[in-house]
Amino acid sequence: MSTSVADRAPAGEVVLSLAGVSKRFGAVQALSDVHMDVRAGEVVALVGDNGAGKSTLVKVISGVYEPDGGDITFAGRKVTVGGPSEAQALGIATVFQDLALCDNLDVVANLFLGQEQLAGPFIDEVGMEKEAWRLLKTLSAKIPSVRIPIAALSGGQRQTVAIARSLVGSPQVVMLDEPTAALGVAQTAEVLNLIERLRETGLGVILISHNMADVQAVADRIVVLRLGKNAAEFRVEDASTAELVAAITGASDNVVASRASRRSASTQTETHIESGEQDG
């Protein structure tokens, strides 16, 4: 049961909560006792090294995998997500890294693929085109035409179409898996603007990314996974890049932190020397 825009949770209210989520593949414990909350009108970045469990967690939330243990609470009630279609019906939308777009189809056809609008026994092309423009306008997207084939669009514009497609059905939570991977500087900025627009419309956004600059630019909170477990959680304004890297790698004294410490010590030494020279 997807929600209308009017039915979305008030900003700041928890719309998705994970408690004690675990997932095992044979001898490999992919997730162990993972906790995470996502609030309406908030961007939560999910970060971690390769093998940290980010993709597994996304697939658990989106219904691709069934968790072995733990609870998923959505819109105030415990739910069991039996598959991607159930997740979408609940109001959880996912944009995977491969985007899953059809290059030979136009923007409208991609937005409504598998969920076409009907006018009697016929596909409502006019209605879908109007809705396509409305969705793109909501994101302040820069698409020249909704009748242009996907193959003719840039990487950033393709990501825009994939994000717009996730809004069909008015979800409450949108998950974005590495949305800026392989994009140039200008296209990355365009996608980050889209993420901010999603937050402004009152959606809860989960951003999975390896790019710390992107995370610090748009996220409100950062959840760090390491070896399938919660390693740390930061408010973005309270976290330095060195602290994030330390949490991701599990090292309190990593290369970045050591370099920052040396620079700080060097600056303090120079300050003391200059102060001594002035006193002399």
Side-chain angles (χ1 to χ4, degrees):
M1 178 181 70
S2 59
T3 58
S4 67
V5 175
D7 292 334
R8 284 179 184 162
E13 181 175 306
V14 175
V15 289
L16 176 67
S17 180
L18 309 179
V21 171
S22 300
K23 180 64 180 176
R24 175 184 289 275
F25 298 99
V28 178
Q29 187 72 46
L31 296 173
S32 181
D33 194 31
V34 173
H35 293 70
M36 185 173 72
D37 291 333
V38 181
R39 295 175 175 82
E42 176 185 49
V43 178
V44 178
L46 185 62
V47 302
D49 209 347
N50 291 333
K54 305 185 301 298
S55 294
T56 302
L57 185 60
V58 168
K59 289 177 179 178
V60 165
I61 298 172
S62 62
V64 176
Y65 295 151
E66 183 179 348
D68 297 328
D71 295 320
I72 300 176
T73 303
F74 184 79
R77 62 188 181 92
K78 289 185 180 180
V79 297
T80 299
V81 186
S85 59
E86 286 191 22
Q88 191 169 9
L90 279 171
I92 302 172
T94 308
V95 180
F96 290 104
Q97 190 171 352
D98 63 3
L99 302 184
L101 298 174
C102 297
D103 285 352
N104 60 313
L105 300 181
D106 62 24
V107 173
V108 173
N110 271 278
L111 287 180
F112 294 95
L113 190 62
Q115 45 190 343
E116 290 82 359
Q117 296 178 356
L118 299 177
F122 305 105
I123 293 178
D124 186 5
E125 290 285 354
V126 174
M128 290 194 301
E129 183 168 334
K130 289 180 179 178
E131 179 64 6
W133 279 119
R134 188 192 70 80
L135 290 171
L136 293 170
K137 185 177 180 181
T138 298
L139 296 171
S140 300
K142 300 175 182 177
I143 302 291
S145 170
V146 293
R147 290 302 179 183
I148 191 172
I150 294 296
L153 300 179
S154 68
Q157 289 172 328
R158 292 180 186 216
Q159 188 68 246
T160 298
V161 173
I163 292 174
R165 183 179 58 188
S166 73
L167 300 183
V168 175
S170 299
Q172 294 197 62
V173 174
V174 175
M175 295 190 290
L176 306 174
D177 188 6
E178 300 284 357
T180 59
L183 295 183
V185 175
Q187 294 173 345
T188 294
E190 185 178 334
V191 171
L192 295 181
N193 287 337
L194 292 179
I195 295 172
E196 291 182 337
R197 291 289 297 138
L198 292 177
R199 173 171 53 202
E200 290 169 5
T201 58
L203 291 169
V205 181
I206 301 175
L207 169 64
I208 298 90
S209 180
H210 281 92
N211 191 313
M212 293 301 102
D214 292 351
V215 165
Q216 291 172 307
V218 296
D220 299 295
R221 284 188 299 118
I222 303 171
V223 174
V224 182
L225 291 185
R226 183 170 182 272
L227 302 178
K229 300 179 181 179
N230 288 93
E233 183 173 327
F234 302 95
R235 295 291 306 176
V236 72
E237 62 268 19
D238 299 331
S240 66
T241 302
E243 289 173 326
L244 288 174
V245 172
I248 290 170
T249 61
S252 59
D253 188 23
N254 58 78
V255 174
V256 176
S258 297
R259 184 175 299 170
S261 179
R262 288 198 302 270
R263 286 182 175 176
S264 178
S266 175
T267 302
Q268 290 178 1
T269 300
E270 290 175 0
T271 301
H272 286 314
I273 291 174
E274 290 176 359
S275 177
E277 290 175 349
Q278 290 175 358
D279 292 341

